[in-house]
Amino acid sequence: MDDIAVKIVLLIKCYNNAETDEGMISVAKFDKIYKLSFYFFITVYVLELLLASGLYFYLPDVVPVHIGLNSVDLWGKGKYIIFLLPCFLILLSFISKPEYAERRYLPGTYTTTLIKLFLLVVQIICLLGSINYFYILLKIVLEGANFFH
């Protein structure tokens, strides 16, 4: 049993001090980037929540519920729907906090790094989708106010 514990400690030390490949990013650097990205995503989603509260009074009664790349696929009644996306993404950000993967798996290992990389990619995709959604909402508000005519 002690032999396994020694091997685990050596693996952790090896992964934490992995600066061998010059072109590769180390696990410690990626952890710092991942922790900073958490605060970035939270800030953007809170700003989107504030934008949603500002747009609420200017939107029509029927708002986009589902969007494609640059068009609306589905419309729905109830302007409160615009608050769901930022709230869901804030929740997703807290679920994918760096401490979750580190508590679940060994800190500094490639498994933990791959899980964090997957969660980071999911966060980036969600961020791009939410920016597109609020772009379309702004476009609806501004076209309704005859700014584009």
Side-chain angles (χ1 to χ4, degrees):
M1 188 69 163
D2 290 331
D3 188 40
I4 294 173
V6 169
K7 287 181 182 177
I8 290 173
V9 169
L10 287 175
L11 277 173
I12 292 172
K13 285 182 180 179
C14 177
Y15 288 129
N16 282 335
N17 298 325
E19 294 276 350
T20 55
D21 296 327
E22 291 182 21
M24 302 292 288
I25 187 168
S26 71
V27 174
K29 286 182 184 176
F30 179 76
D31 285 345
K32 287 180 185 177
I33 292 170
Y34 189 77
K35 286 179 182 178
L36 287 175
S37 71
F38 167 74
Y39 296 111
F40 171 74
F41 290 128
I42 290 293
T43 304
V44 171
Y45 298 146
V46 167
L47 289 174
E48 287 180 350
L49 196 57
L50 292 173
L51 179 64
S53 62
L55 289 177
Y56 181 79
F57 299 106
Y58 299 103
L59 285 171
D61 290 333
V62 178
V63 294
V65 176
H66 188 268
I67 57 169
L69 287 177
N70 246 353
S71 64
V72 177
D73 293 339
L74 183 64
W75 294 82
K77 274 198 172 247
K79 295 189 286 187
Y80 65 89
I81 293 172
I82 64 171
F83 295 105
L84 292 179
L85 183 63
C87 290
F88 169 73
L89 293 176
I90 289 171
L91 179 67
L92 178 68
S93 294
F94 278 107
I95 289 173
S96 62
K97 278 183 80 166
E99 291 82 21
Y100 173 73
E102 290 170 0
R103 272 187 276 135
R104 180 104 174 147
Y105 303 100
L106 289 174
T109 61
Y110 279 124
T111 305
T112 306
T113 305
L114 287 175
I115 290 169
K116 289 179 182 178
L117 181 64
F118 172 75
L119 292 173
L120 184 65
V121 169
V122 168
Q123 286 277 20
I124 290 171
I125 291 171
C126 290
L127 176 71
L128 294 175
S130 69
I131 289 172
N132 188 26
Y133 182 72
F134 279 97
Y135 168 75
I136 290 175
L137 286 179
L138 276 171
K139 196 173 169 183
I140 290 170
V141 168
L142 295 177
E143 284 177 351
N146 293 326
F147 283 114
F148 287 114
H149 297 295

